[in-house]
Amino acid sequence: AASDHHHHKLLLPSNMDRQEKHADQTNALVRRMVWWGGCVVKLLWAISVCWSVSKAISGNGFTNYRAVIHAGPSGPPVASISVNWTTWPSPYFRPHALVCPRDLVYLADEFRVWELDRKKGEVTPYPCDVNGTIADIASDCDRVRCWPVVLLKGIPPIVYDCATRVQKVLLQSPTAAERFSTRGEELLYVARGKRVLQ
């Protein structure tokens, strides 16, 4: 019995040593994981800061005037170009059509017509009682002024004059028109697919 008791005393410290060694290994593993996790987070933060600074300096990807260096207009060569920095009336404002008669600028989203004040850079609603979804916008002018004319989606398509408030149904177009343009008060060109109707 005495020998058994002595044998248990010898085994007990050995088990405690194993447990302490296992606990030390676990703590070391956790410390290494925390250290590597911190390194990954710092690396991602540094990459995002470098990307943001490069975008801010180059102006690439920015669609407003806040870039440090503005990227010049790109595209095919044109006769003349002027940049108008604007303030949209809402972050959800999405114009899809534009017309520039004389020194005026008219825009259209799906349901309203807007006018751009080129001096202030502000876009304000233009008084045009549109009853439908706008496909495109054009303009008409007389000797004194110009005003927008809109193409409404539908079959047959409808042209609405914002000044005279007259609607003209395009009966010769059996399908929906996509784009249109005016030439004076008498001529109207409508694009449908690859075809242009006069």
Side-chain angles (χ1 to χ4, degrees):
S3 64
D4 288 344
H5 182 66
H6 181 68
H7 182 66
H8 284 304
K9 281 185 177 180
L10 292 175
L11 288 176
L12 189 59
S14 177
N15 287 336
M16 289 180 64
D17 288 344
R18 285 197 202 104
Q19 290 176 355
E20 288 178 2
K21 186 177 180 181
H22 183 69
D24 290 342
Q25 290 175 345
T26 303
N27 288 337
L29 178 63
V30 169
R31 281 195 296 271
R32 281 198 302 270
M33 291 175 64
V34 169
W35 186 82
W36 279 110
C39 289
V40 169
V41 169
K42 290 175 184 175
L43 178 64
L44 292 174
W45 179 83
I47 290 172
S48 65
V49 167
C50 292
W51 178 84
S52 301
V53 169
S54 70
K55 285 289 186 180
I57 290 174
S58 68
N60 251 349
F62 280 79
T63 56
N64 55 31
Y65 58 88
R66 295 179 184 173
V68 177
I69 300 172
H70 299 294
S74 61
V78 293
S80 64
I81 187 170
S82 61
V83 178
N84 291 297
W85 302 112
T86 60
T87 303
W88 281 165
S90 162
Y92 306 106
F93 179 57
R94 294 290 182 270
H96 67 273
L98 171 80
V99 65
C100 305
R102 296 176 184 167
D103 289 331
L104 301 171
V105 179
Y106 297 114
L107 306 96
D109 58 15
E110 287 191 325
F111 305 105
R112 298 181 75 177
V113 177
W114 304 77
E115 184 174 8
L116 169 65
D117 186 327
R118 297 178 68 179
K119 292 181 180 178
K120 296 180 180 178
E122 296 178 353
V123 178
T124 55
Y126 184 86
C128 185
D129 299 326
V130 177
N131 187 17
T133 305
I134 299 175
D136 196 14
I137 186 172
S139 64
D140 202 355
C141 299
D142 57 21
R143 294 181 180 179
V144 180
R145 64 189 182 106
C146 294
W147 60 91
V149 181
V150 298
L151 174 68
L152 301 178
K153 291 182 180 179
I155 301 174
I158 297 173
V159 173
Y160 179 74
D161 191 310
C162 293
T164 62
R165 298 185 179 182
V166 173
Q167 287 189 2
K168 296 178 181 177
V169 180
L170 304 179
L171 297 175
Q172 68 272 31
S173 179
T175 59
E178 300 164 4
R179 295 280 181 254
F180 86 127
S181 177
T182 58
R183 185 180 174 188
E185 297 182 4
E186 301 299 326
L187 284 177
L188 177 69
Y189 300 95
V190 177
R192 178 172 52 87
K194 297 181 178 180
R195 298 183 60 190
V196 177
L197 303 177
Q198 179 177 329

